Amino acid sequence: MAPTAASVALATQRLHAGELVAFPTETVYGLGADAGNPDAVHRIFAAKGRPSDHPVIVHIGNMAHVDRWAREFPEGARRLASAFWPGPLTLILPRAAHVDDAVTGGQDSVGLRMPSHPVAQQLLAAFAALGGTGIAAPSANRFGHVSPTTAQHVEDDLGDAVAMILDGGACAVGIESTIVAFTGREPVLLRPGGIGVVALAGVLGRAPSAPGTDSPRASGTLASHYSPHAPTQLVASGDVLQEVARRTSRGERVAVLAHTAVRPAGFTGAWVAAPVDAPRFAHVLYASLRTLDTPGVQAILIEAVPDEDAWLAVRDRLSRATD
Ligand code: TXA
Ligand code: MG
């Protein structure tokens, strides 16, 4: 549904009534429920087919709402929030006592994010005006599948399970938020994403640490996540054409996502020519995987991306999408 004032108001009422509303954010589409209503949050898990011990991010529209969810807002987290909110950053903070286990997955922490997409902001503001304290929302895909970056993707994955989908166009960032946990002594990078490590380090004074065994669990960090249905494989840049030729000569139906390799004459399968810079590549990544992942395709081949900092989040998602 187009995001008019009337449809946002309707979406807000649906949330207030405990129903699920999918909405656009600058990263990916979220599957939203009233974060203060455990029954509504449980509906998210049923709709996604997601194990119920996985925590969900609470989306807020106002910095003053952090205290409703977190019992501490450490200095480093405050600095990141003022630098990057609203935007593609999630902070994991010690949870306030009242926060339900449905939201936290039973952990002693809560994930908070203030999205910058105007429709998400309108929805959050309207929901707060009805007394709502936050919108719990994981990515609006079936569990383990590629995250949705258009309203149509949400419809394809979860159309029957949601009361409403607000259509805010294609998501600008295209991959999920960066997640930084402030639950131990040092900030920990749980998931690379829309905000790069260099930008985080610029604000924190040093890069966040890698997760250790005592870091909070994050489902997006499971080794196989964000996957297409067809077997998906990374191929070194220089080997793409040879690998395509080898497989097609055996009669295999392959689909290709390449950013430097050029489609060979005579190749009849699906081929997506992706942008050569990391942010634009990220923007098209999930939509491209969905385009390539059609019935009958025996393998999706993805040209490996550069081993540079700017590509960290894209490399992370590619390594999870591939076998
Ligand atoms: O960009 C995004 O973050 C999108 C949009 C919709 O905001 N949301 C998203 O949600 O990617 P989801 O549920 O697909 O991934 C959220 C990640 C999961 O890996 C979850 O485990 C982690 O955040 N997470 C949430 N709360 C947490 C907590 N209290 N402790 C540790 N990890 C948490
Ligand atoms: Mg997800």
Side-chain angles (χ1 to χ4, degrees), residues 102-128:
V103 169
T104 65
Q107 302 185 84
D108 190 32
S109 57
V110 64
L112 297 176
R113 176 161 114 76
M114 191 190 296
S116 65
H117 194 292
V119 176
Q121 294 199 333
Q122 285 159 31
L123 185 66
L124 286 162
F127 190 54

